[in-house]
Amino acid sequence: ASTLGAAATEKGRYFGAAVAANHLGESAYASTLNSEFNSVTPENEMKWDATERTRGTFTFGSADQVVNHAQSRGMKVRGHTLVWHSQLPSWVAGLGTADLRSAMNNHITQVMQHYKGKIHSWDVVNEAFQDGSSGARRSSPFQDKLGNGFIEEAFRTARAADPAAKLCYNDYNTDGVNAKSNAVYNLVRDFKSRGVPIDCVGFQSHFNSASPVPSDYQANLQRFADLGVDVQITELDVEGSGTAQANNYSNVVRACLAVSRCTGITVWGVTDKYSWRASGTPLLFDGNYAKKPAYGAVLTALGGS
Ligand code: G3I
């Protein structure tokens, strides 16, 4: 196979990219996306501030654009994200407990029902744990007002809204074995033991020279898979360039292929030109859509050429 998507398919995986609706009209952007990738994640368009900026008024225009683009080309779609402390409209933080509970459940239900049958996996809850050694929950309107049970409630609501979608917990700095990933691990283990619906864990995998791909990356993916959930690489990017960057990418792909329940990889953007890392070069295509060494390393690791 000569593209990322086709090579991944031969290994039983998908290979996706985060996509921004406002770039789809750029022909090089669209043609690179269309030829190389077979899954998309809307980069911002499904977040709460985009889909329910005003309480009870749902706006799906730009998210629909991304979903329609993908569906008409046979690409899968990851849903990102339903319950997150960031990109949250200020009205949410102003609600009292009972109101917040119903707003959270309504948001999950409305957004998931709108996309019912079109999303292979949803990031139901994103980034609910703190960095560092505490393993504690992060402060957020949901955590602070609804308490630890908000994650379970969100997943139960999500299962009811679209029973066919895989429901994921997604986070960063959980890529190796550490206090934060241990906290997520304990959450998933508890959910599985009590029958709380959860199907997958997303490992964002934002790497840079200060935090490269950890040596226990594969082992960490495997221990989650052993709990009975799929694992997905959901927002991969690696700061840097040249061989060092290529080697990090290659390590990620090889780790995923070595874990049978690692079902796919998504890179967090198509081109360096539009990466969220303002002046960075963390992706597989440069600002002119030329393939970087990292692209070749990924394709080779996937068994393509
Ligand atoms: O909404 C305004 C828009 O109205 C305006 O036209 C535009 C002009 O610059 O700014 C828009 O908001 C920006 C938004 O991206 C859409 O472009 C925000 O300022 C900017 O902060 C936002 O950044 C996004 C970031 O999440 C916000 O937290 C990045 O694009 C997106 O790549 C990034 O993605 C996150 C994942 O969702 C979760 N994991 C970490 C990852 C990287 O931070």
Side-chain angles (χ1 to χ4, degrees):
S2 62
T3 67
L4 303 173
T9 298
E10 288 185 359
K11 300 289 188 189
R13 271 66 173 192
Y14 63 84
F15 203 94
V19 166
N22 59 326
H23 300 315
L24 287 172
E26 184 179 324
S27 62
Y29 183 95
S31 64
T32 304
L33 171 66
N34 297 346
S35 56
E36 292 288 343
F37 298 93
N38 58 13
S39 174
V40 306
T41 305
E43 186 173 0
N44 289 296
E45 292 78 353
M46 287 182 172
K47 293 170 180 176
W48 199 314
D49 65 353
T51 52
E52 194 187 6
R53 181 174 282 278
T54 302
R55 188 174 187 181
T57 303
F58 288 84
T59 47
F60 295 114
S62 45
D64 284 353
Q65 238 186 295
V66 177
V67 172
N68 293 339
H69 182 98
Q71 287 223 305
S72 64
R73 291 165 179 82
M75 301 168 172
K76 294 169 176 281
V77 184
R78 288 195 89 257
H80 175 78
T81 175
L82 296 164
V83 180
W84 188 28
H85 64 275
S86 182
Q87 288 173 285
L88 190 63
S90 53
W91 64 262
V92 180
L95 301 177
T97 299
D99 232 8
L100 178 64
R101 182 184 305 285
S102 84
M104 180 185 83
N105 289 324
N106 186 54
H107 183 78
I108 293 168
T109 302
Q110 298 298 325
V111 176
M112 287 187 76
Q113 285 184 347
H114 180 79
Y115 290 110
K116 199 168 186 165
K118 298 184 175 178
I119 306 289
H120 72 82
S121 304
W122 264 110
D123 291 332
V124 178
V125 174
N126 194 44
E127 302 175 5
F129 288 88
Q130 285 178 28
D131 291 316
S133 58
S134 72
R137 294 290 187 84
R138 176 198 296 274
S139 172
S140 72
F142 309 106
Q143 180 66 35
D144 300 348
K145 289 177 183 156
L146 306 181
N148 282 346
F150 91 85
I151 302 183
E152 172 170 352
E153 181 156 353
F155 275 81
R156 290 190 185 281
T157 300
R159 179 67 93 224
D162 182 358
K166 301 259 193 198
L167 307 181
C168 306
Y169 176 81
N170 190 54
D171 215 327
Y172 67 92
N173 285 352
T174 50
D175 311 302
V177 176
N178 57 40
K180 190 175 178 183
S181 66
N182 286 344
V184 177
Y185 181 86
N186 290 335
L187 174 91
V188 176
R189 187 174 56 185
D190 171 58
F191 277 19
K192 295 301 284 185
S193 75
R194 291 190 298 112
V196 179
I198 185 166
D199 306 303
C200 37
V201 176
F203 299 83
Q204 293 185 11
S205 305
H206 292 292
F207 298 120
N208 55 53
S209 56
S211 92
V213 182
S215 56
D216 54 7
Y217 189 66
Q218 180 184 322
N220 190 48
L221 298 177
Q222 187 65 58
R223 73 170 174 152
F224 278 87
D226 290 343
L227 290 174
V229 288
D230 289 346
V231 296
Q232 301 174 353
I233 313 307
T234 51
E235 304 182 15
L236 176 62
D237 56 13
V238 183
E239 259 303 11
S241 60
T243 308
Q245 182 179 52
N247 287 343
N248 274 285
Y249 267 104
S250 172
N251 287 341
V252 170
V253 173
R254 286 194 277 116
C256 180
L257 294 181
V259 174
S260 60
R261 291 198 75 149
C262 182
T263 58
I265 298 173
T266 300
V267 290
W268 204 240
V270 174
T271 160
D272 285 343
K273 189 175 175 182
Y274 299 127
S275 168
W276 69 287
R277 299 190 194 255
S279 53
T281 56
L283 295 168
L284 302 178
F285 293 86
D286 72 14
N288 297 314
Y289 298 93
K291 294 169 178 172
K292 295 164 61 177
Y295 172 94
V298 169
L299 187 63
T300 302
L302 289 170
S305 61

